[in-house]
Amino acid sequence: MGRRGWGWGIREKWSWLSFLYFFPYKPRWSDPIMLKMKGWGWLALLLGALLGTASARRSQDLHCGACRALVDELEWEIAQVDPKKTIQMGSFRINPDGSQSVVEVPYARSEAHLTELLEEVCDRMKEYGEQIDPSTHRKNYVRVVGRNGESSELDLQGIRIDSDISGTLKFACESIVEEYEDELIEFFSREADNVKDKLCSKRTDLCDHALHISHDEL
């Protein structure tokens, strides 16, 4: 195929530009057709803004819900550990005086235990479902499987349960763990009240409405 087969030559381009220049109709914003186009443009911008806001809200609901579910799971796991169980922390090197700089700390909130929990806690997101708050119309994520593995004792009315929801929630949980691992270990290395609000809302800014969400735990 010759060069002309791939596009216009100079003569064709010049002819087209000449046509546009001498064409008698010069569109103006005051013309009805242009006003109509302008109106559609504003409508498109408005719809784009609304869709963008809705998308951002869905994303925040998801990450906020994942953070709060993550906190619930970590607090429950920590509570299952025998408070008398300890782990040795520090250096095992021998000091000049023959002693070792080793201390025993409670295992439940030790960095080793918390790191282990963070590696597998997001797998629990498959035990959650999605619920729409009737007053705020925001999405919450609640457990749909009891700690004993059964769901019969839970009220599942109005809760969506499917693999897409649990998969998306798990992905959000993993992204939070990856980005805020240091903060999570810092918070859970000591006992604290209202960790959901302090971590998910004030420290990480993942929730803008968490202070108004009840602290229901299963």
Side-chain angles (χ1 to χ4, degrees):
M1 182 180 291
R3 294 177 60 186
R4 289 178 58 84
W6 293 101
W8 288 356
I10 295 177
R11 180 178 301 176
E12 289 87 345
K13 293 179 180 178
W14 175 252
S15 299
W16 176 244
L17 292 173
S18 299
F19 169 76
L20 291 177
Y21 181 79
F22 292 106
F23 188 68
Y25 175 69
K26 299 294 191 298
R28 297 180 178 85
W29 285 114
S30 60
D31 294 342
I33 187 172
M34 297 304 292
L35 287 174
K36 186 175 182 180
M37 291 175 62
K38 186 177 181 180
W40 281 111
W42 283 112
L43 180 59
L45 288 174
L46 178 60
L47 289 175
L50 292 175
L51 291 174
T53 301
S55 177
R57 180 167 169 170
R58 286 194 300 269
S59 177
Q60 186 177 57
D61 287 352
L62 173 64
H63 285 82
C64 177
C67 183
R68 296 175 70 81
L70 172 62
V71 170
D72 274 344
E73 295 304 318
L74 290 176
E75 288 182 332
W76 188 85
E77 289 288 350
I78 290 172
Q80 306 314 301
V81 179
D82 184 350
K84 296 181 180 179
K85 184 177 181 180
T86 60
I87 184 175
Q88 289 186 331
M89 301 291 293
S91 173
F92 288 90
R93 293 181 179 180
I94 303 297
N95 296 324
D97 60 358
S99 63
Q100 287 182 312
S101 301
V102 178
V103 296
E104 288 191 348
V105 299
Y107 175 73
R109 295 185 180 275
S110 66
E111 183 174 349
H113 184 224
L114 294 175
T115 301
E116 180 182 339
L117 290 179
L118 290 175
E119 290 178 354
E120 49 191 47
V121 66
C122 292
D123 290 336
R124 300 292 180 87
M125 298 301 110
K126 65 184 178 182
E127 300 171 354
Y128 280 74
E130 182 182 274
Q131 184 180 48
I132 305 297
D133 189 304
S135 59
T136 64
H137 303 290
R138 304 200 71 148
K139 295 179 180 179
N140 298 326
Y141 295 88
V142 296
R143 253 188 170 277
V144 295
V145 178
R147 300 295 185 185
N148 58 3
E150 298 178 359
S151 59
S152 58
E153 73 275 16
L154 302 178
D155 182 8
L156 304 181
Q157 184 175 1
I159 299 177
R160 282 187 57 203
I161 306 172
D162 60 50
S163 58
D164 289 339
I165 290 175
S166 59
T168 305
L169 192 64
K170 179 183 177 183
F171 182 80
C173 175
E174 291 171 341
S175 68
I176 292 171
V177 170
E178 181 178 358
E179 184 172 357
Y180 298 106
E181 181 177 2
D182 293 340
E183 286 82 354
L184 288 164
I185 292 177
E186 176 190 342
F187 267 86
F188 286 99
S189 63
R190 62 184 187 278
E191 291 189 38
D193 297 326
N194 297 334
V195 177
K196 289 180 184 178
D197 292 342
K198 294 176 181 177
L199 178 65
C200 300
S201 193
K202 296 179 180 179
R203 185 64 176 270
T204 63
D205 218 15
L206 291 168
C207 301
D208 68 342
H209 61 298
L211 297 177
H212 306 291
I213 298 178
S214 60
H215 289 213
D216 296 331
E217 302 203 13
L218 301 173

